[in-house]
Amino acid sequence: IADNTIVIFNSDNGGNSHSNTAEDGKARKRKADDTFLTDWRKWAGMQPPTINAPLRDGKGSLYEGGTRVPLMWSWPAHIRPGTTSDAIVGHIDLYPTLLDMIGLPFPPVQKLDGVSYAPVLKGSGALDRKAFFNYFPHGRSPGRAGGVAVRAGDWKLIRWFGAPADDPSLRELYNLRADISETKNLAAAEPERVRALDVLIDAFLADTGATCSSLNSWTCRG
């Protein structure tokens, strides 16, 4: 059974970096003698459940601390143990990859949002993808209604919803190879790259029908 079983270890989001902190509204509403909170303070103080350093932020954000997660596959005789890859993949790719790995055809009536990275796992080829997108219209960023991010190569552009078109903080550009902690917003210094990645975001939003036009995140749909 072990030799013929695919095992996948994954996470749905980055670590929780805000619960039980001084800024956590739910924690502030708990009573002073709440056993959960008093026990938490005893062992963890004001620290959150996880710290994602050197990644920025965590669950509920479009920064790497919220979107970069572990992914491990095991399938003896099909995936060589100990191999790694820097291919950018996500949850939407699991389904087509599994179909590809076990040799089942893609259902013709289904539109697949993801792509198969079976060649990467097998070591037989590269990933056929120009860019990867994260759409999250409910973000925790103050004054924002979430946003959308695109990753193309080493570059990542975040476009926030709910901000005026001329707001300089509307877009954030990072070179993740040089700045994995997303500390240097290069949007002002790289206008041509911002425009190129913006075109990809526009195409993604149009293709998926995902829109957001207000600071109220519940007006967003996807």
Side-chain angles (χ1 to χ4, degrees):
I1 294 176
D3 289 340
N4 198 34
T5 300
I6 298 175
V7 178
I8 306 169
F9 180 85
N10 200 198
S11 173
D12 63 339
N13 50 250
N16 183 335
S17 60
H18 57 275
S19 291
N20 306 326
T21 63
E23 293 76 28
D24 181 12
K26 291 183 179 179
R28 290 199 300 268
K29 292 178 181 178
R30 290 181 180 270
K31 295 181 179 179
D33 60 350
D34 184 294
T35 55
F36 171 84
L37 198 57
T38 54
D39 188 60
W40 183 272
R41 294 285 181 256
K42 177 181 178 181
W43 298 106
M46 302 301 291
Q47 293 189 86
T50 56
I51 297 174
N52 301 309
L55 306 181
R56 180 175 176 178
D57 214 322
K59 176 183 178 180
S61 82
L62 284 169
Y63 295 114
E64 291 297 284
T67 60
R68 184 180 290 242
V69 298
L71 173 62
M72 289 180 278
W73 282 68
S74 174
W75 194 15
H78 296 270
I79 302 174
R80 186 161 62 89
T83 55
T84 61
S85 171
D86 59 1
I88 307 302
V89 301
H91 300 81
I92 58 173
D93 304 320
L94 280 173
Y95 177 55
T97 301
L98 280 167
L99 290 179
D100 206 359
M101 290 291 283
I102 61 181
L104 289 179
F106 294 168
V109 296
Q110 291 183 344
K111 178 179 179 180
L112 299 180
D113 293 321
V115 299
S116 170
Y117 54 90
V120 175
L121 295 173
K122 295 177 180 179
S124 61
L127 182 68
D128 183 18
R129 165 174 280 149
K130 182 179 181 180
F132 185 85
F133 301 88
N134 276 302
Y135 173 78
F136 193 72
H138 316 297
R140 294 186 296 106
S141 301
R144 306 294 193 199
V148 58
V150 57
R151 171 78 185 273
D154 296 333
W155 293 91
K156 174 182 176 181
L157 178 70
I158 302 174
R159 181 199 294 178
W160 297 109
F161 298 137
D166 58 350
D167 187 338
S169 67
L170 179 65
R171 294 172 177 80
E172 297 180 30
L173 177 70
Y174 300 101
N175 184 317
L176 295 181
R177 184 173 296 275
D179 181 23
I180 190 63
S181 300
E182 295 171 291
T183 61
K184 300 176 182 178
N185 181 3
L186 301 175
E190 296 270 357
E192 291 298 324
R193 195 177 302 276
V194 169
R195 279 191 283 271
L197 294 175
D198 243 350
V199 169
L200 297 181
I201 288 180
D202 286 337
F204 166 76
L205 294 176
D207 179 59
T208 59
T211 60
C212 184
S213 58
S214 169
L215 283 172
N216 179 358
S217 64
W218 297 111
T219 64
C220 307
R221 61 181 178 84

